[in-house]
């Protein structure tokens, strides 16, 4: 047996030296090959990370462009109204459910409000989607909300939209043992370059896309923040404000609110249940102070009609707008002011962008014509005028309620009663005991002939199920024929504080034609136009027509007395007049 000396153990053999040298040469060759592709051995690793992130963003942008840029290629607007459901599965122990719906169209997803303890929920909520082409599939899935556990699927249905038009209120059967959902789908074809403003994402994405086009690719020099790690938002979005608060559902879920220039986000992980809310600021209609349980100051974020919920089911409201309520702020009033300022800054950025685009188009047009025309004339020529004037009211809903002879000409009827200087509307609203009357001035509108104005007031409600009074808005449209012998007066009334007030409008038309020196025929028609279907539609229509008849009787009685005073005072207007130039008969 051969015993090794210490020298033989410590000194490597020739074979071991050859293997070590060969391995070192392989490592050096590998490093040289790798770094020769990147350029320099001293390159910073952060630059590699940045370049890889930029390429990832570019690839994502290319994928979006390949699928169709929503700002330039959206060709159809789909308005889906989630009306009601019936015979849903009872997921709770008491045999009821807490249903809410998730509507998916392409890559966009919307949440309806949750109706507690019902197998026959009524929503009446609208959701707007922009799509590039038809046909497209819309998936409506009904869930049962649970405070702690994961929501249970009650059923779903797939509806294929193949062409523009509307379907009416249709009941669709869910793919479950029982249950149906009622949907009204309307598809509108948009111009090729129409944006997704009506869908809520246009403002934020358009503003960001414009800034990216100007500045080039976004290079992120900091670690991803909570907006990226939690909500998967774009790397150029960062947190401007952050608050600890709770979101109100059937239970208060504590979490944190993150506010950026384009989104208001909320994240909660209470009871091991993840809740994420991502609200585009472009979808927000109003941010107002409110209370939770009368002692906890809160902030309510109200979304515009058609926006739908984002992330979790929102709270419903009688006017059809959904809302999110956040409470338990350390300083509610300070947070409210900051959120309102963020929303204001967002809209200011959009207006600045629109102004910049208009000025760019004006400069381009001015240079194309050599600068020989005046700027005002250029602006007038660059405005796109509608090819066809739009109707102000829905004629198909009108029914005749009054036809008689009135003691004045058509021109006098407008001049004495509805001109900007007339006090008739004040006297009529006072006779009706209406309050807070605010009248706008007559002005021209591109989409309508004649002139229009807005009138707002508060009207008393006599029904026991309605509040004491309600805010009313009346849009008025006046057209006087060139020969001053025919006057058409149209109105659209909207009630804001009554149940189902956002579902319908009251349309009216007054048609006067002069037949003698001091008389004319008057024909009055009225009707209820429903923007949404509701279960008491017939009752609302009948009640609205009967109420309008009583208003017409009082209005004509007041008008006769007012005209008699004006004509007896010798202030009858026999000269040519327009909706904006009239005498004051008081």
């Amino acid at each position: 047996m051969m015993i090794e000396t210490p020298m033989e153990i410590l000194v490597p053999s020739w074979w071991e030296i050859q293997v070590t040298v060969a391995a070192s040469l392989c490592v050096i060759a590998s490093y040289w090959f790798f770094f020769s592709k990147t350029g320099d051995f001293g390159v910073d690793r952060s630059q590699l990370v940045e370049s890889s992130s930029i390429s990832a963003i570019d690839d994502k942008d290319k994928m979006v462009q390949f699928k169709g840029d929503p700002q330039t290629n959206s060709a159809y607007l789909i308005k889906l109204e989630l009306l009601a459901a019936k015979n849903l599965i009872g997921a709770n122990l008491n045999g009821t459910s807490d249903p809410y719906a998730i509507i998916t169209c392409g890559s966009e997803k919307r949440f309806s409000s949750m109706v507690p303890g019902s197998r026959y929920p009524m929503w009446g909520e609208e959701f707007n989607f922009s799509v590039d082409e038809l046909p497209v599939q819309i998936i409506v899935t009904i869930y049962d909300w649970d405070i702690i556990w994961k929501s249970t699927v009650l059923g779903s249905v797939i509806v294929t939209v193949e062409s523009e038009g509307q379907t009416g209120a249709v009941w669709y059967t869910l793919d479950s043992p029982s249950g149906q959902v009622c949907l009204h789908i309307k598809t509108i074809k948009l111009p090729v370059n129409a944006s997704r403003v009506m869908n809520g994402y246009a403002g934020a994405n358009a503003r960001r896309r414009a800034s990216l086009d100007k500045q080039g690719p976004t290079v992120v020099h900091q670690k991803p923040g909570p907006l990226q790690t939690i909500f998967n938002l774009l790397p150029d979005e960062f947190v401007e404000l952050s608050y600890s608060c709770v979101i109100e559902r059937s239970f208060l879920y504590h979490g944190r609110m993150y506010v950026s220039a384009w989104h208001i986000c909320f994240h909660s992980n209470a009871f091991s249940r993840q809740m994420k809310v991502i609200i585009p600021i472009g979808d927000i209609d109003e941010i107002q102070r409110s209370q939770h349980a009368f002692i906890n100051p809160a902030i309510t974020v109200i979304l515009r009609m058609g926006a739908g919920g984002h992330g979790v089911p929102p709270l419903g409201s009688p006017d059809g707008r959904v809302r999110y309520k956040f409470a338990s702020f350390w300083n509610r009033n300070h947070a409210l002011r900051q959120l309102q300022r963020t929303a204001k800054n967002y809209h200011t950025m959009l207006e600045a962008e629109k102004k910049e685009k208009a000025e760019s188009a004006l400069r381009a047009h001015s240079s194309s014509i050599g600068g020989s025309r005046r700027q005002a004339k250029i602006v007038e020529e660059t405005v796109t005028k509608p090819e066809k004037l739009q109707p102000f009211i829905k004629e198909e809903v009108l029914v005749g309620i009054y036809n008689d002879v009135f003691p004045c000409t058509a021109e006098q009827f407008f001049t004495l009663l509805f001109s900007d200087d007339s006090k008739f509307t004040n006297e009529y609203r006072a006779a009706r005991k209406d309050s807070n009357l605010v009248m706008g001035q007559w002005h021209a509108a591109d989409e309508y002939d004649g002139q229009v104005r807005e009138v707002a007031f508060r009207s008393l409600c006599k029904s026991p199920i309605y509040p004491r009074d309600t805010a009313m808005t009346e849009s008025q449209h006046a057209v006087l024929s060139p020969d001053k012998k025919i006057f058409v007066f149209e109105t659209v009334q909207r009630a804001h504080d009554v149940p189902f007030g956002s579902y319908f409008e009251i349309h009216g038309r007054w048609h006067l034609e002069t037949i003698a020196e001091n008389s004319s025929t008057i024909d009055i028609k009225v009707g209820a136009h429903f923007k949404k279907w509701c279960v008491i539609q017939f009752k609302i229509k009948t009640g609205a027509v009967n109420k309008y008849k009583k208003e017409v009787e009082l209005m004509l009685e007041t008008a006769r007395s007012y005209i008699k005073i004006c004509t007896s005072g010798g202030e009858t207007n026999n000269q040519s007049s327009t909706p904006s130039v009239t005498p004051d008969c008081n």
Side-chain angles (χ1 to χ4, degrees):
M1 183 174 181
M2 188 176 185
I3 300 176
E4 296 180 344
T5 62
M7 185 63 70
E8 293 177 344
I9 297 175
L10 295 176
V11 177
S13 64
W14 177 249
W15 178 82
E16 290 176 337
I17 294 174
Q18 289 179 330
V19 172
T20 303
V21 172
S24 301
L25 293 176
C26 290
V27 171
I28 294 173
S30 300
Y31 270 88
W32 176 84
F33 179 79
F34 176 78
F35 284 107
S36 64
K37 300 298 183 181
T38 57
D40 187 8
F41 283 87
V43 66
D44 188 2
R45 184 173 297 273
S46 61
Q47 295 179 3
L48 296 176
V49 176
E50 289 177 7
S51 62
S52 61
S53 62
I54 294 172
S55 62
I57 295 173
D58 292 340
D59 293 341
K60 185 176 181 180
D61 292 340
K62 292 177 181 179
M63 292 175 63
V64 173
Q65 293 176 0
F66 179 77
K67 293 179 180 179
D69 189 347
Q71 298 299 317
T72 57
N73 298 333
S74 296
Y76 297 93
L77 174 69
I78 299 178
K79 290 178 171 286
L80 184 145
E81 294 183 30
L82 177 65
L83 301 176
K86 61 183 180 180
N87 298 325
L88 296 178
I89 298 174
N92 298 336
L93 296 177
N94 59 1
T96 63
S97 295
D98 304 318
Y100 69 94
I102 296 181
I103 298 95
T104 305
C105 181
S107 60
E108 300 179 14
K109 181 185 294 185
R110 300 288 187 274
F111 287 71
S112 76
S113 61
M114 184 267 291
V115 181
S118 176
R119 294 179 57 215
Y120 298 83
M122 294 184 60
W123 285 288
E125 297 174 4
E126 181 179 301
F127 306 87
N128 296 340
F129 300 95
S130 294
V131 297
D132 301 334
E133 58 184 2
L134 297 179
V136 67
Q137 287 187 340
I138 299 178
I139 304 174
V140 180
T141 307
I142 310 296
Y143 291 86
D144 172 65
W145 174 263
D146 194 278
I147 296 178
I148 300 177
W149 309 113
K150 186 178 180 180
S151 298
T152 305
V153 178
L154 302 180
S156 63
V157 63
I158 299 177
V159 182
T160 302
V161 179
E162 298 183 348
S163 60
E164 58 181 310
Q166 55 183 342
T167 62
V170 179
W171 287 94
Y172 297 91
T173 303
L174 303 178
D175 59 350
S176 58
S178 67
Q180 289 181 308
V181 60
C182 185
L183 306 175
H184 179 274
I185 302 175
K186 183 177 181 181
T187 306
I188 303 173
K189 186 172 179 60
L190 300 175
V192 176
N193 293 327
S195 66
R196 290 191 176 186
V197 173
M198 304 180 73
N199 197 16
Y201 282 100
N205 289 342
R207 170 72 171 75
R208 301 174 69 179
R209 186 173 290 106
S211 62
L212 289 175
D213 291 341
K214 294 178 183 179
Q215 301 175 3
T218 301
V219 180
V220 182
H221 295 278
Q222 58 184 4
K223 295 181 179 180
L227 296 180
Q228 289 74 38
T229 57
I230 301 176
F231 305 100
N232 296 323
L233 297 180
L234 295 180
D236 64 332
E237 200 162 345
F238 60 91
V239 177
E240 296 181 353
L241 302 169
S242 179
Y243 302 100
S244 175
C245 58
V246 300
I247 187 171
E248 179 184 339
R249 294 298 319 142
S250 52
F251 188 84
L252 294 180
Y253 294 87
H254 183 269
R256 193 158 195 87
M257 176 186 290
Y258 304 93
V259 183
S260 72
W262 298 285
H263 293 92
I264 296 178
C265 304
F266 176 84
H267 175 253
S268 173
N269 196 18
F271 304 107
S272 299
R273 177 170 183 169
Q274 291 275 353
M275 295 182 63
K276 300 178 183 179
V277 180
I278 305 175
I279 306 175
I281 296 182
D283 280 358
I284 297 176
D285 192 14
E286 187 177 359
I287 302 176
Q288 58 183 216
R289 59 169 47 90
S290 58
Q291 296 289 130
H292 174 261
F294 299 101
I295 60 173
N296 190 2
I299 296 175
T300 300
V301 179
I302 304 175
L303 306 185
R304 60 177 179 77
M305 189 76 70
H310 303 271
V312 297
L315 301 174
S317 59
D319 60 2
R321 299 183 300 174
V322 298
R323 55 197 170 90
Y324 287 99
K325 181 179 287 187
F326 303 93
S328 298
F329 290 90
W330 179 258
N331 188 333
R332 191 276 306 270
N333 292 335
H334 173 75
L336 175 65
R337 289 191 296 268
Q338 292 295 329
L339 293 178
Q340 291 175 340
R341 185 178 294 111
T342 300
K344 182 178 179 181
N345 293 339
Y346 171 85
H347 293 290
T348 301
M349 287 190 297
L350 290 187
E351 292 299 326
E353 180 187 351
K354 293 179 182 179
K355 184 177 180 180
E356 182 181 354
K357 289 183 178 180
E359 291 177 353
S360 299
L362 182 62
R363 288 193 296 267
H365 184 80
S366 177
S367 60
S368 65
I369 62 175
S372 60
R373 299 181 181 180
R374 295 175 303 170
Q375 183 176 358
K377 190 173 183 180
I378 297 173
V379 174
E380 182 180 356
E381 291 181 356
T382 55
V383 175
T384 304
K385 297 183 178 180
E387 299 179 357
K388 185 179 180 181
L389 296 175
Q390 302 178 9
F392 191 78
I393 60 175
K394 300 290 184 180
E395 298 185 12
E396 60 270 17
V397 303
L398 300 180
V399 294
I401 61 172
Y402 186 87
N403 192 298
D404 203 351
V405 177
F406 198 77
C408 75
T409 64
E411 182 182 6
Q412 291 173 340
F413 190 87
F414 169 77
T415 302
L416 299 178
L417 301 182
F418 294 106
S419 64
D420 287 333
D421 300 327
S422 175
K423 304 300 181 182
F424 167 73
T425 302
N426 302 71
E427 293 189 7
Y428 167 64
R429 293 298 170 188
R432 277 181 40 86
K433 298 182 180 180
D434 295 335
S435 60
N436 299 345
L437 176 64
V438 178
M439 289 193 301
Q441 298 289 318
W442 289 106
H443 61 276
D446 294 336
E447 62 269 29
Y448 309 114
D449 57 344
Q451 301 198 31
V452 297
R453 72 175 180 183
E454 293 286 332
V455 178
F457 56 92
R458 296 197 68 87
S459 177
L460 296 176
C461 298
K462 298 181 180 180
S463 175
I465 65 173
Y466 288 171
R468 180 178 178 274
D469 62 352
T470 177
M472 299 286 296
T473 302
E474 183 176 89
S475 302
Q476 299 180 349
H477 176 225
V479 179
L480 188 64
S481 63
D483 59 1
K484 308 294 192 279
K485 292 185 178 181
I486 297 177
F487 173 63
V488 178
F489 178 67
E490 298 175 331
T491 62
V492 176
Q493 290 185 353
R494 306 175 187 88
H496 300 286
D497 301 327
V498 300
F500 300 100
S502 63
Y503 285 45
F504 67 94
E505 298 173 338
I506 305 302
H507 292 198
R509 168 177 286 175
W510 298 48
H511 182 277
L512 286 91
E513 184 173 0
T514 303
I515 58 175
E517 183 177 357
N518 291 315
S519 64
S520 60
T521 59
I522 181 172
D523 180 69
I524 303 176
K525 296 181 179 180
V526 67
H529 167 59
F530 284 84
K531 299 181 290 184
K532 296 182 180 180
W533 177 87
C534 65
V535 292
I536 58 174
Q537 183 167 320
F538 177 77
K539 185 176 181 180
I540 293 177
K541 183 183 297 185
T542 305
V545 172
N546 293 335
K547 182 180 179 181
Y548 200 89
K549 288 181 180 179
K550 296 180 181 179
E551 290 187 10
V552 166
E553 294 176 0
L554 177 60
M555 192 172 186
L556 292 178
E557 181 182 353
T558 308
R560 290 188 181 95
S561 301
Y562 188 86
I563 291 176
K564 185 176 181 180
I565 295 175
C566 290
T567 54
S568 62
E571 297 187 15
T572 305
N573 184 20
N574 295 323
Q575 63 183 3
S576 175
S577 63
T578 64
S580 58
V581 182
T582 52
D584 181 8
C585 180
N586 191 3

